[in-house]
Amino acid sequence: MSETERWITEREAEQQAAHGAYTRAQIREMYREYTYRQWLAAEDWCRGYLLSRRAAAKGVDPESLFSGPAHVAYARASEELKRYWSEVEPRLTLAEFTEQITGQRSAAAERARQARGDQENRQ
């Protein structure tokens, strides 16, 4: 086996080990921590204006915008928050986050990216 083949084999083995390195529960906890940190950063960047007027009047919890379906989050988000997601840090669904952590592509993450693009194009 050549040096290059050995290097490729080692990288593939490392990648394969990473795929099973986390349980679903661990990934969900990491995602919860990620969305909490993103919420705090967005709160600061948007100076507290995370909700649309309608969502604020209905008493929507601003933290709820950072997980769940994109169409719901974008419908309830302020213009400042939408700008934050497009310019500073994109909003990730659990499927997208899982894909980043594990390195395994998924149809659910692809649908989430497509939905986010659709929402951003409506703005």
Side-chain angles (χ1 to χ4, degrees):
M1 182 180 286
S2 74
E3 186 77 25
T4 303
E5 290 171 325
R6 189 176 313 116
W7 183 85
I8 291 170
T9 302
E10 288 173 2
R11 297 298 84 70
E12 287 174 348
E14 288 172 7
Q15 242 183 355
Q16 193 63 26
H19 292 291
Y22 300 105
T23 65
R24 286 183 180 181
Q26 288 171 319
I27 291 172
R28 283 187 179 281
E29 179 60 23
M30 290 176 359
Y31 179 68
R32 190 194 61 73
E33 292 170 2
Y34 164 79
T35 58
Y36 181 73
R37 284 191 308 271
Q38 190 184 48
W39 170 55
L40 293 177
E43 178 86 16
D44 184 52
W45 194 87
C46 298
R47 297 187 209 137
Y49 295 101
L50 299 180
L51 297 170
S52 67
R53 288 183 193 179
R54 182 178 296 167
K58 288 183 178 180
V60 171
D61 177 8
E63 191 175 357
S64 70
L65 301 180
F66 293 86
S67 61
H71 70 279
V72 173
Y74 277 86
R76 295 176 174 175
S78 67
E79 292 303 315
E80 291 86 353
L81 182 54
K82 292 174 191 175
R83 196 167 36 257
Y84 175 83
W85 286 332
S86 70
E87 295 176 10
V88 179
E89 185 175 13
R91 179 188 181 279
L92 296 180
T93 64
L94 177 59
E96 291 170 297
F97 184 82
T98 301
E99 188 179 85
Q100 286 184 3
I101 295 298
T102 64
Q104 291 182 313
R105 306 233 357 126
S106 77
E110 186 57 41
R111 284 190 305 274
R113 280 189 291 278
Q114 187 175 14
R116 181 175 53 244
D118 292 346
Q119 292 298 321
E120 289 174 351
N121 290 334
R122 290 181 186 173
Q123 306 310 319

